[in-house]
Amino acid sequence: MAGLTDLVILVSICAAVVYAWLTGDNRRAGFCLAMFTCTGGVMVATLLGDVGLFWLYPAMVTSFFLTVPFVAVVVNSLAVVALVIEDVAFDSHEQMLSFVTTCVVVSSCAYIFARRNEHQRERLERLATHDPLTGVKNRRAMEEELQAAVANYSRNRMPYALIIFDLDHFKRINDGFGHARGDEALVECAELIRRCTRKSDQLFRFGGEEFVLLMPGVRESGIRAVAENLRHKVASELLTPAGPITASFGVSCLDGTDDAESWLARADEALYEAKSLGRNRVVIRPSPVEPGCGSGTAGSPASRRRIPD
């Protein structure tokens, strides 16, 4: 019976590993593995008595590597409660209390380690995906989000708009008042844009004084007003010792012909056009093949005219 139990445990673990390998669903597979190991430990302890109790300790520690700490605590607690209620594996109440105490100590230490590891992982992930100066997401995170937006659009046709904006004549601030004051202006700009946009919108620092704003659920019929409002906010509220700062905006809307690179390239071309036309303006670059963002007016002359100052 003990050999059959071990065989069932081994087959279950192999099945969970194969499932994780084929599907990439590590969270669900990890939970199943934690359940299999702890359940197997309980069964072995029930069959073999106090000799089998020792197999539950590595199973409890393993739970914290396979799933989130809170779930691991629940799984381990259920295993200990099952053994105590069944009361077959223990020779005496003293042995039972000793076993429960040591299980609590092992699980507590593993929980502390798992929480510290989780916090470090979150910190490293934030360092890898966020700009340390402004606190907004960086270019690496932007590339991932653009690809996700393209994939989402291909599945359910959810419209997306992309805005690239660049602070005009920013070099004058750095040269005239120092890079520290320039950094303050970048931080203030990021905070201003976040205040004026929705929680679902994502702001990225593309590099230097250039930012990218990804806006889901926005069509071309509404993006012009949004971009103009942001341009006005920057020009009226972003103040420096050199005076107010303006920004140039390039806008493009996602359509079925785009991938992440072509979508970003069209917005970048629109930004270049806005700067070449005198800065402090919004230029929308529609798709050259089909209307963008689900709007029937994307290719019309009205959508191509430049926005006056």
Side-chain angles (χ1 to χ4, degrees), residues 292-307:
C293 290
S295 172
T297 63
S300 65
S303 67
R304 289 193 173 96
R305 67 175 184 268
R306 63 183 178 88
I307 304 299

Side-chain angles (χ1 to χ4, degrees), residues 19-241:
Y19 171 81
W21 183 23
L22 295 177
T23 65
D25 187 0
N26 295 326
R27 182 179 296 272
R28 191 173 301 175
F31 172 75
C32 292
L33 281 171
M35 290 294 297
F36 293 154
T37 54
C38 285
T39 302
V42 172
M43 295 176 64
V44 169
T46 302
L47 292 172
L48 302 181
D50 56 357
V51 176
L53 288 175
F54 297 103
W55 285 104
L56 200 58
Y57 293 118
M60 288 182 169
V61 175
T62 304
S63 297
F64 289 93
F65 290 92
L66 297 174
T67 186
V68 296
F70 174 76
V71 175
V73 169
V74 173
V75 172
N76 290 355
S77 300
L78 291 176
V80 173
V81 170
L83 280 175
V84 171
I85 292 177
E86 196 171 15
D87 196 14
V88 174
F90 306 105
D91 295 333
S92 63
H93 289 290
E94 290 77 9
Q95 185 186 31
M96 178 192 297
L97 292 175
S98 177
F99 175 76
V100 172
T101 302
T102 53
C103 285
V104 170
V105 172
V106 168
S107 295
S108 299
C109 294
Y111 176 82
I112 294 172
F113 174 80
R115 290 295 297 171
R116 290 186 61 185
N117 186 58
E118 186 176 20
H119 290 160
Q120 291 176 352
R121 180 188 59 79
E122 292 173 353
R123 183 180 178 185
L124 290 174
E125 183 178 349
R126 180 172 180 83
L127 289 174
T129 58
H130 286 72
D131 174 53
L133 175 63
T134 60
V136 301
K137 293 184 177 180
N138 59 17
R139 184 168 182 168
R140 177 181 179 180
M142 180 198 71
E143 293 173 351
E144 295 177 355
E145 293 296 339
L146 291 185
Q147 292 174 1
V150 172
N152 191 27
Y153 180 84
S154 65
R155 288 194 301 268
N156 54 32
R157 294 295 174 180
M158 180 176 181
Y160 285 88
L162 190 66
I163 300 177
I164 301 181
F165 63 95
D166 187 280
L167 300 182
D168 298 328
H169 304 297
F170 189 75
K171 190 174 183 297
R172 296 178 183 177
I173 301 175
N174 286 333
D175 293 343
F177 300 93
H179 288 277
R181 188 61 190 90
D183 290 345
E184 291 178 7
L186 293 174
V187 173
E188 293 171 3
C189 178
E191 293 176 352
L192 173 62
I193 297 300
R194 283 187 290 191
R195 288 199 310 267
C196 298
T197 52
R198 305 166 301 174
K199 290 184 178 180
S200 59
D201 301 330
Q202 299 189 66
L203 180 64
F204 310 89
R205 188 182 179 191
F206 193 50
E209 65 273 16
E210 196 169 1
F211 294 86
V212 173
L213 185 62
L214 176 62
M215 309 188 75
V218 179
R219 301 180 183 274
E220 188 171 339
S221 57
I223 191 59
R224 184 180 296 275
V226 172
E228 279 291 351
N229 177 65
L230 293 177
R231 184 185 69 84
H232 174 74
K233 287 287 187 181
V234 171
S236 60
E237 298 185 21
L238 191 58
L239 304 177
T240 68

